[in-house]
Amino acid sequence: MHTDKAWEKWGEKDPYFGVYTEDKFRTNNLTPEIKQTFFDSGEQYIQHVLYTIRQKIHSDFSPNSALDFGCGTGRLIFPLAKICKRVVGVDISASMLAEAQKNLEAYPHVLLLKSDDQLSAIEAHRFDFVNTFIVLQHISKERVLRIFKKLVQSINKNGVGVIHLTYAKIKFSKNFGTPSNTIAFHLKTLAVALKKRIAGIFDSKKDPEMQMNLHSLNQLLFILQDAGVQNIFTEFTNHDGALGITLYFRI
């Protein structure tokens, strides 16, 4: 299944779990208290990010506008809406956006838009703060290069970008975190993917695919330096053996 179609299925079936993969966020388990825990985690993340920006990148950072790429059900939009005059959330899933719209009814200065690889819905917009977290890992390498470049271009002068992506997996530790480039490995990967697709066709209750792609840091760093970025700050993440990095930078 194409990753965009998979995320629409997640939006229809299990939107909160699709954003934050803990079983308590499954639709069948979701209570008002658990849902509040979900949004509290977004508040904690944004507070951490703003603190880190002010400590490492931009000491008096106070954004008036913000973009959250892959906003899902609005987990990170809530805290951004409290501090920014204009907030835009984009997502590939119409179902996710519909759920986010219900969650954010009290914030008229929030705009939710359907996304694409060219970020065409926000082409005329620029932002003081651009963020994406645990999103790009679910998109293929070629598409991420286009999206990453567009995200960087959407940042105002003296604005800040905080972009998270995955670059390695612990299970490939013998090859320093990256998969083997042998024909045998590629054939095995294709066989596993085909098996999952066939299982999905015959089992409607099976979860949609959730890809975990690895991305080339050297290509992304090239894009940043080409855009005039002179310094970055990084933080490492580990989501069940998928090793990630968050890039903090100022334009």
Side-chain angles (χ1 to χ4, degrees):
M1 180 182 292
H2 190 283
T3 182
D4 292 354
K5 292 181 179 179
W7 283 102
E8 180 57 23
K9 292 291 185 184
W10 278 114
E12 294 170 355
K13 176 186 177 182
D14 248 335
Y16 295 89
F17 179 82
V19 173
Y20 199 152
T21 53
E22 289 190 8
D23 280 338
K24 64 183 177 181
F25 298 129
R26 291 278 191 183
T27 297
N28 292 338
N29 299 331
L30 209 60
T31 63
E33 293 75 21
I34 291 175
K35 191 173 179 180
Q36 186 59 52
T37 300
F38 175 88
F39 284 108
D40 286 346
S41 70
E43 182 82 43
Q44 293 162 8
Y45 167 81
I46 290 297
Q47 290 303 318
H48 166 76
V49 165
L50 291 175
Y51 174 81
T52 303
I53 290 170
R54 290 164 186 157
Q55 291 293 311
K56 304 293 184 179
I57 300 292
H58 190 335
S59 61
D60 58 350
F61 185 62
S62 182
N64 285 316
S65 57
L67 169 69
D68 184 34
F69 177 83
C71 65
T73 58
R75 185 173 76 108
L76 306 183
I77 297 287
F78 261 114
L80 291 173
K82 295 175 185 177
I83 62 172
C84 296
K85 295 179 180 178
R86 179 171 63 96
V87 181
V88 175
V90 296
D91 201 280
I92 200 65
S93 167
S95 296
M96 288 279 193
L97 290 173
E99 187 68 19
Q101 190 67 60
K102 290 188 289 186
N103 290 328
L104 294 158
E105 286 180 349
Y107 296 92
H109 60 298
V110 170
L111 179 63
L112 300 172
L113 299 169
K114 188 80 156 51
S115 182
D116 59 34
D117 291 0
Q118 300 302 319
L119 274 64
S120 55
I122 60 161
E123 190 170 2
H125 299 262
R126 294 293 180 270
F127 304 90
D128 298 332
F129 176 54
V130 169
N131 174 81
T132 184
F133 181 60
I134 55 174
V135 173
L136 297 181
Q137 62 210 44
H138 302 309
I139 306 173
S140 67
K141 294 179 182 179
E142 298 77 14
R143 296 177 67 194
V144 161
L145 288 174
R146 293 193 294 270
I147 292 168
F148 188 92
K149 188 171 183 177
K150 288 291 184 179
L151 289 173
V152 173
Q153 290 172 348
S154 71
I155 303 173
N156 279 327
K157 182 66 177 175
N158 291 318
V160 172
V162 178
I163 297 181
H164 171 268
L165 40 86
T166 48
Y167 69 95
K169 291 184 180 180
I170 288 177
K171 70 178 183 179
F172 301 135
S173 59
K174 290 183 179 179
N175 199 42
F176 301 101
T178 58
S180 170
N181 198 29
T182 63
I183 294 175
F185 177 83
H186 289 301
L187 289 174
K188 181 180 178 181
T189 301
L190 286 172
V192 171
L194 182 60
K195 184 178 179 180
K196 287 182 178 179
R197 289 188 182 185
I198 293 172
I201 292 171
F202 293 101
D203 185 358
S204 60
K205 295 182 179 180
K206 189 176 179 63
D207 280 339
E209 183 181 11
M210 188 178 287
Q211 293 185 14
M212 288 295 290
N213 297 301
L214 307 182
H215 298 293
S216 168
L217 287 177
N218 57 331
Q219 290 177 304
L220 300 172
L221 293 177
F222 176 88
I223 291 171
L224 289 180
Q225 189 165 4
D226 190 54
V229 174
Q230 296 184 350
N231 299 288
I232 62 171
F233 176 75
T234 62
E235 290 178 330
F236 289 119
T237 62
N238 183 344
H239 292 105
D240 297 323
L243 302 182
I245 191 167
T246 303
L247 305 173
Y248 291 75
F249 57 91
R250 183 177 180 179
I251 296 295

